[in-house]
Amino acid sequence: EVQLVQSGAEVKKPGESLKISCKGSGYSFTNYCIAWVRQMPGKGLEWMGIIYPGDSDARYSPSFQGQVTISADKSISTAYLQWSSLKASDTAMYYCARLWGPAMVPNWFDPWGQGTLVTVSS
Amino acid sequence: DIVMTQSPDSLAVSLGEKATINCKSSQSVLYSSNNKNYLAWYQQKPGQPPKLLIYWASTRESGVPDRFSGSGSGTDFTLTISSLQAEDVAVYYCQQYYSSPLFTFGPGTKVDIK
């Protein structure tokens, strides 16, 4: 079974750094892109960026470029989303999702991780 | 950037009745070389991650009930729930993957029981 399991909820203060993770199993992690999607409280889905673990090629939504860093460690089948200095406005649920097809071939997202809730508050 | 819009923002439908959700893209998501529309639909129930319902605008994902159907081409698409069930209460999102690796979602449509 293809599965993505995300790290647990985080509570942080503004200015702190954070790295959340998404571990893939049941497939060849190296060959399939992982996307990150933000969902702010009570709001819709926003695509943040995507990474191809095979060569760590990462692409970002213009809205998130420079605000976050997406990385992957293919040796442990895990993708990451990190912030160097959190803001209160980063409070949201963050989902990882696998691009259905290999590499960056245009495809839909399936499956999705269970989500990681990040709360940033002083 | 391809901008996705959805209508209505929300709708309430009686059990067993039809629900229709519209999605529009700011430019065509139909790839002429393969005649495929690069459009997916997702369902998100409260407290859950999104779930894939339909891809290529009209192909139902395995295990999705056949009361869900997708149609449309180019810039205008529709998700139809032919006979609304209580378990269909959710927010529904369309997504374009034509401009992959840049993706965009619609703002979502909330479906409730009348």
Side-chain angles (χ1 to χ4, degrees):
Chain A
E1 179 196 7
V2 176
Q3 199 173 9
L4 299 176
V5 177
Q6 298 184 229
S7 50
E10 302 274 1
V11 179
K12 291 289 190 179
K13 290 181 166 45
E16 291 186 332
S17 63
L18 176 64
K19 193 174 189 177
I20 62 175
S21 66
C22 170
K23 183 174 177 62
S25 62
Y27 71 99
S28 176
F29 183 80
T30 301
N31 294 337
Y32 293 83
C33 290
I34 296 288
W36 287 95
V37 176
R38 183 176 77 174
Q39 188 167 39
M40 299 177 77
K43 301 299 184 183
L45 305 173
E46 300 173 89
W47 174 72
M48 302 176 70
I50 193 166
I51 188 164
Y52 178 58
D55 60 8
S56 290
D57 181 16
R59 312 291 178 88
Y60 296 88
S61 161
S63 299
F64 292 93
Q65 180 81 48
Q67 308 305 307
V68 296
T69 301
I70 295 172
S71 60
D73 184 344
K74 58 188 179 183
S75 70
I76 55 171
S77 301
T78 301
Y80 301 97
L81 177 65
Q82 70 180 91
W83 295 260
S84 58
S85 180
L86 286 160
K87 302 184 275 288
S89 58
D90 293 317
T91 294
M93 181 71 81
Y94 293 89
Y95 294 102
C96 65
R98 198 195 82 167
L99 201 61
W100 186 84
M104 286 204 184
V105 173
N107 271 293
W108 49 94
F109 296 164
D110 185 58
W112 293 63
Q114 84 277 19
T116 296
L117 180 62
V118 174
T119 303
V120 184
S121 174
S122 55
Chain B
D1 290 13
I2 299 179
V3 177
M4 308 299 291
T5 56
Q6 288 182 232
S7 63
D9 293 336
S10 65
L11 74 161
V13 176
S14 300
L15 289 173
E17 295 301 303
K18 184 194 305 188
T20 302
I21 300 168
N22 300 301
C23 171
K24 191 174 183 70
S25 57
S26 61
Q27 64 188 74
S28 177
V29 298
L30 173 63
Y31 195 42
S32 55
S33 65
N34 60 11
N35 202 36
K36 286 182 180 287
N37 288 283
Y38 285 50
L39 190 284
W41 288 96
Y42 300 88
Q43 174 194 63
Q44 187 178 31
K45 296 181 180 180
Q48 296 185 19
K51 172 191 170 186
L52 175 70
L53 292 178
I54 285 170
Y55 54 93
W56 297 132
S58 61
T59 302
R60 202 179 304 115
E61 168 71 335
S62 175
V64 173
D66 61 7
R67 63 181 180 272
F68 290 92
S69 63
S71 63
S73 185
T75 61
D76 293 279
F77 301 92
T78 300
L79 175 69
T80 302
I81 309 172
S82 61
S83 175
L84 191 76
Q85 304 300 303
E87 61 265 32
D88 301 335
V89 169
V91 179
Y92 293 83
Y93 296 92
C94 60
Q95 178 212 20
Q96 68 80 18
Y97 46 96
Y98 180 90
S99 61
S100 174
L102 300 181
F103 303 86
T104 43
F105 291 94
T109 295
K110 185 177 182 181
V111 174
D112 271 317
I113 305 294
K114 186 188 292 183

